């Protein structure tokens, strides 16, 4: 059966695209991702990066408050079991994305809990192969598969994710956990420098940890970071272990890359800022990707293949925020709708 629109991805971009295309009566089919071991290992399970986030303070419309009764009345009862215990302090990442999912369903979006593993763009309609072995057809496709943060792959790091270990300073840096406490940034590029400066607005001290003896960031950004009296660089060091207790991160054990003695620092959090990997491997050879494998936007949200659109972090290497992803999901939906109307005229 041919679909008007197939949406690949289940983060803010995907669900926003689903809401808009469903309201336009395009009857979208959303592939939210498979509940597989491989996806669990690569942090690409359904619902995107928000599902791995605790408090969300910077998404408009959700100030602090008790959402318990609202969630009970808004989300399908069978889905409530997948949400963490509500902390009555605003909205959590899993709650926010679950509300988006429910809103898309309310307007008529259909959902398949599988991955799309390839797209045949040589035919019209497009043919999409899914992880369940089935093939689907669509007149238009919106790719919203997101990007996953790169981590250090330490067992202790995994143990303290969302309890002091983060890959997004803008998302988490202002949380009470980090205010007036020392924190650490791991990385040596422009993003690490920018976010260290940002964190210095809240933290009492920011350790800037880099495995080499000089940063690879631009000279301007390095100067800006190191001119801040709160920021202390720790060169030629790598994180060997994240230390903590039941409250979360309490410190880091650092190993020298030059044979010097180990160093232990006290901190309330570790921000791993060593880049992201867009979830676009299945698109190799189908649409144009840049050197870092992000989808290239040609005109607004259109890709190099007419009829395939992209939204969210799989095409955005700059902002990577829930609100910007949702915005581009809206744009991709409108672009796809207008493109489909043009094809019929």
């Amino acid at each position: 059966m041919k679909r008007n629109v197939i949406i690949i991805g289940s983060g803010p971009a995907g669900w926003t695209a689903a809401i808009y295309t469903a309201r336009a009566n395009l009857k979208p089919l959303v592939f939210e991702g498979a509940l597989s071991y491989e996806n669990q290992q690569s942090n690409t399970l359904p619902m995107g990066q928000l599902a791995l986030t605790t408090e969300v303070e910077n998404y408009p419309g959700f100030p602090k408050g008790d959402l318990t009764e609202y969630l009970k009345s808004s989300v399908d009862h069978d889905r409530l079991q997948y949400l963490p215990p509500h902390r009555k302090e605003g909205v959590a990442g899993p709650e926010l994305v679950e509300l988006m999912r429910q809103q898309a369903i309310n307007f008529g979006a259909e959902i398949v809990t599988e991955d799309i593993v390839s797209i045949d763009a040589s035919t019209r309609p497009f043919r999409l192969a899914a992880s369940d072995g089935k093939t689907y057809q669509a007149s238009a496709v919106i790719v919203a598969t997101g990007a996953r943060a790169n981590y250090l792959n330490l067992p202790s790091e995994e143990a303290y994710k969302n309890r002091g270990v983060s890959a997004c300073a803008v998302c988490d840096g202002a949380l009470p956990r980090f205010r007036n406490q020392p924190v650490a940034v791991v990385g040596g590029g422009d993003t690490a420098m920018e976010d260290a400066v940002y964190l210095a607005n809240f933290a009492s001290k920011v350790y800037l940890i880099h495995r080499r003896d000089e940063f690879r960031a631009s000279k301007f950004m390095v100067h800006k970071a190191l001119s801040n009296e709160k920021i202390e660089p720790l060169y030629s060091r790598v994180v060997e272990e994240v230390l903590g207790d039941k409250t979360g991160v309490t410190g880091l054990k650092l190993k020298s890359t030059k044979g010097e003695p180990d160093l232990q620092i006290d901190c309330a959090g570790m921000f791993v800022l060593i880049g992201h990997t867009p979830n676009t491997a299945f698109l190799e050879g189908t649409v144009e990707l840049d050197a870092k494998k992000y989808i290239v936007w040609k005109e607004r949200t259109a890709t190099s293949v007419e009829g395939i659109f992209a939204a969210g972090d799989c095409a955005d290497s700059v902002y990577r925020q829930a609100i910007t992803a949702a915005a581009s999901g809206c744009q991709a939906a409108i672009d796809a709708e207008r493109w489909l109307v043009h094809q019929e005229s």
Side-chain angles (χ1 to χ4, degrees):
M1 176 181 175
K2 185 185 80 171
R3 297 284 181 155
N4 292 313
V5 180
I6 283 180
I7 298 167
I8 311 170
S10 56
W15 294 128
T16 304
I19 290 167
Y20 272 78
T21 51
R23 291 185 73 249
N25 202 32
L26 292 176
K27 299 178 174 60
L29 182 64
V30 181
F31 281 82
E32 67 175 347
L35 295 168
S36 65
Y37 175 77
E38 292 77 15
N39 285 351
Q40 182 179 12
Q41 291 299 106
S42 61
N43 287 326
T44 55
L45 285 169
M47 312 299 268
Q49 294 298 300
L50 273 184
L52 306 175
T53 307
T54 50
E55 302 99 328
V56 179
E57 293 187 327
N58 56 2
Y59 197 91
F62 290 92
K64 287 186 179 296
D66 189 350
L67 296 177
T68 304
E69 295 305 316
Y70 176 67
L71 290 166
K72 287 180 181 179
S73 65
S74 301
V75 177
D76 184 85
H77 180 73
D78 292 336
R79 297 284 302 183
L80 288 173
Q81 62 182 312
Y82 300 115
L83 297 178
H86 183 60
R87 299 174 60 173
K88 302 182 181 181
E89 294 179 353
V91 68
E95 295 169 347
L96 179 57
V97 75
E98 189 68 47
L99 289 167
M100 294 178 183
R101 184 184 192 273
Q102 187 66 56
Q103 192 171 355
I105 291 173
N106 291 350
F107 285 118
E110 296 182 50
I111 298 171
V112 178
T113 309
E114 298 288 346
D115 295 315
I116 290 297
V117 297
S118 66
I119 301 176
D120 183 355
S122 65
T123 64
R124 294 294 189 276
F126 300 111
R127 292 181 178 272
L128 294 82
S131 53
D132 60 1
K134 297 179 181 179
T135 300
Y136 298 80
Q137 298 182 41
S139 297
V141 175
I142 297 174
V143 181
T145 46
R148 59 191 184 276
N150 298 332
Y151 284 94
L152 304 176
N153 297 320
L154 299 171
S156 56
E157 173 191 56
E158 184 67 30
Y160 289 104
K161 280 183 181 177
N162 292 326
R163 294 198 299 138
V165 171
S166 171
C168 183
V170 175
C171 307
D172 301 330
L175 295 176
R177 173 190 298 275
F178 306 116
R179 286 182 178 268
N180 301 312
Q181 299 292 325
V183 300
V185 168
V186 180
D190 279 355
T191 298
M193 301 300 127
E194 292 171 3
D195 286 4
V197 172
Y198 175 80
L199 289 167
N201 292 317
F202 311 102
S204 60
K205 186 179 188 64
V206 179
Y207 294 102
L208 194 48
I209 302 166
H210 190 45
R211 58 184 176 176
R212 299 188 177 92
D213 56 7
E214 62 179 68
F215 297 114
R216 57 183 173 81
S218 64
K219 290 183 179 180
F220 172 79
M221 286 309 307
V222 172
H223 175 74
K224 184 175 182 179
L226 299 188
S227 296
N228 191 309
E229 60 182 13
K230 284 188 176 182
I231 298 176
E232 178 182 340
L234 295 175
Y235 298 106
S236 304
R237 293 282 177 179
V238 294
V239 178
E240 185 173 43
E241 184 181 0
V242 180
L243 308 174
D245 56 26
K246 63 181 181 180
T247 66
V249 173
T250 59
L252 301 176
K253 183 179 180 181
L254 305 178
K255 184 177 180 180
S256 171
T257 60
K258 291 188 172 182
E260 297 177 354
D262 290 348
L263 176 66
Q264 184 170 316
I265 61 172
D266 295 329
C267 63
M270 178 179 77
F271 292 83
V272 186
L273 303 171
I274 55 176
H276 288 71
T277 300
N279 302 316
T280 57
F282 73 103
L283 292 172
E284 289 274 5
T286 302
V287 301
E288 183 180 348
L289 307 177
D290 67 15
K292 295 183 178 180
K293 305 304 180 182
Y294 287 90
I295 299 171
V296 175
W297 278 318
K298 289 296 186 179
E299 183 179 356
R300 296 190 298 274
T301 63
T303 70
S304 59
V305 176
E306 189 176 350
I308 299 181
F309 303 86
D313 291 8
C314 62
D316 172 22
S317 63
V318 178
Y319 300 105
R320 293 194 295 263
Q321 300 297 303
I323 187 65
T324 54
S328 67
C330 163
Q331 292 171 318
I334 293 173
D335 288 344
E337 178 189 1
R338 290 175 178 173
W339 182 81
L340 286 168
V341 170
H342 180 73
Q343 300 308 300
E344 296 172 357
S345 60

